[in-house]
Structure formats: C-alpha cells, structure tokens
Amino acid sequence: MLKLVGLTGAFAVGFMILAACPTGSTSNLLTYLARGDVALALSFTAVASVLTIFTLPFIVAWSLAYFSGAEQAVDVPVSMMMVQVFLMMGLPVALGMGLRGWREPLALRLEPKFTKVATVLFVLVVIAAIAKNWAMAKSAFPTLAPLALGLNVTMLACGFAVAWFSRLSRRQSVTLGIETAVQNATLALVIASTVLKDSNMAIPGAVYGIVMYVGGLAFALMMRRFTAER
C-alpha cells in the first residue's frame, strides 16, 4: 500500500515502525471520552504492549530489508514501554479502583468531574504532542499529513466496522476502532531515532503523533453522542 501511494525508503520504513508499535496509552482516555468499553481498552493495550516485544523486531527488520535493502537487528526498549504503560494506565486504574472500592458513592459523584478533567488532560496531551513533534515534522508535514490522516481515519473505520459486523456491542466497536488507530508514536520515535539512528524514519511517527489525535478525538466525540451513559 505504501508503494501504491509513492512512499518508499526511510518514510515507508517509518510508517511500518509506527504500525508495528502497540496501541498508545492515550487510547484509553479517548475510549473513556467516547463512552466505550474502558476495561476492554485497558486489556487490549496491555496485551498489545506485551506482544510487541516479540513482533516489533521482526516487522521492523523485514521493513528495513524490503524498503531500503538494509539488514539490522532491532532491540525493543522494553523498560520504556513498561514505564509508559504503568504511568498512563496501571497507576490511574489502580487509584480509580481503589477509590471505588473504598467509597463507591464518592467515586460515582466524582465521575462527571473526572470526565471534564479527562477532556482537559487530553487537550494538554494534544498540545504537548504538537510541541514535541513539530520541529521534526514541519518540513514533511504537508506531504505526510494527508497520508497520516487518511490512515488514521481508515483504521478508525476498519476497527469499528470489523467489531460491529462481528456483532460486538457499540461500546466494544467504538473501543476497537480507537485501539486500532491510536499508536504509540513515542515508541516509534525512539525506535527510529535511538535504535536505528535515522531521523528521517522518525518523521512519519512525529507526523502521525500529531494527526492521530484529530481523527481520534472527532471519532470519540461523535460516538459519544450516540452511546448511552453507563
């Protein structure tokens, strides 16, 4: 598909690195805003993060050989991934479950306020992603942004459609749409720039790290309107 749109070399490898990365932890926040199945999102992210340890080296090595004719061993930064998962997923979930088990009425009263806090946090995440990635992405943004946005929207639609036609609930379908489209762009940047030491391969991850929140947030807010409150 990448060759069909005229993308080869470092940029093509960059997109393959991004595709090989697990679901981003912010997908759980988007799922919450969309009134999706948060438990499913957490499980999906955790399982994907573990599986990536084994699958990412093979996918990236194949991509290097296919698109650039190079061969190189790829080491996955496991410790960084685990810290991300703990801080963005494990710790908030543990605190929330602890509060609900200790004072359920209080937790239920606070939930609407947490929704507003989650929305503000997500906006801050988007701003931080733009600030972090813009210096690297700005030169190639006009070229790669349409492809990144098209990929993001396609994956949102495919994830939702496959789940829906598999007779999963609306909440589960929304969740799988988001989980399919939101990638761990930070890990993609680390693999490209630190492990492979190629800044050009990092650019697709930087661009997608900005663009994926546009489609993801629009999808979440649209689905939220058609999904009843839990």
Side-chain angles (χ1 to χ4, degrees):
M1 177 178 145
L2 291 173
K3 285 193 172 182
L4 290 178
V5 297
L7 205 62
T8 57
F11 284 170
V13 174
F15 272 108
M16 289 300 296
I17 294 171
L18 181 71
C21 288
T23 304
S25 300
T26 49
S27 64
N28 304 315
L29 182 56
L30 269 178
T31 299
Y32 177 76
L33 293 177
R35 294 182 178 148
D37 189 332
V38 178
L40 176 61
L42 293 170
S43 301
F44 193 102
T45 302
V47 172
S49 297
V50 173
L51 290 178
T52 296
I53 296 172
F54 305 99
T55 60
L56 190 146
F58 294 103
I59 295 174
V60 175
W62 176 86
S63 301
L64 284 167
Y66 184 77
F67 288 108
S68 63
E71 293 185 5
Q72 184 173 345
V74 180
D75 295 321
V76 180
V78 177
S79 58
M80 189 205 79
M81 285 176 55
M82 294 302 104
V83 169
Q84 276 189 335
V85 170
F86 173 74
L87 292 178
M88 296 294 292
M89 185 178 73
L91 184 60
V93 169
L95 292 174
M97 291 177 65
L99 177 60
R100 185 154 186 167
W102 178 53
R103 290 285 189 274
E104 184 172 358
L106 175 61
L108 294 177
R109 287 200 305 272
L110 290 175
E111 186 170 357
K113 295 180 181 179
F114 286 154
T115 301
K116 295 178 182 178
V117 171
T119 304
V120 172
L121 286 175
F122 188 79
V123 172
L124 292 177
V125 167
V126 174
I127 294 172
I130 294 173
K132 174 183 176 182
N133 296 330
W134 185 247
M136 182 182 296
K138 63 181 180 180
S139 61
F141 197 83
T143 302
L144 297 183
L147 177 60
L149 184 59
L151 177 63
N152 180 248
V153 172
T154 300
M155 297 311 296
L156 284 166
C158 287
F160 180 87
V162 169
W164 186 257
F165 286 121
S166 299
R167 299 181 180 274
L168 297 183
S169 69
R170 179 182 290 274
R171 284 199 180 108
Q172 291 171 330
S173 299
V174 168
T175 300
L176 291 181
I178 293 172
E179 292 293 317
T180 302
V182 178
Q183 297 297 102
N184 191 332
T186 300
L187 179 60
L189 293 178
V190 170
I191 294 293
S193 60
T194 303
V195 178
L196 300 178
K197 303 184 185 307
D198 191 320
S199 58
N200 287 327
M201 291 181 186
I203 292 175
V207 173
Y208 196 82
I210 296 172
V211 170
M212 70 178 178
Y213 293 120
V214 176
L217 184 58
F219 179 81
L221 295 178
M222 180 178 66
M223 290 296 135
R224 181 180 176 86
R225 298 183 60 186
F226 299 105
T227 304
E229 291 192 41
R230 286 159 290 200

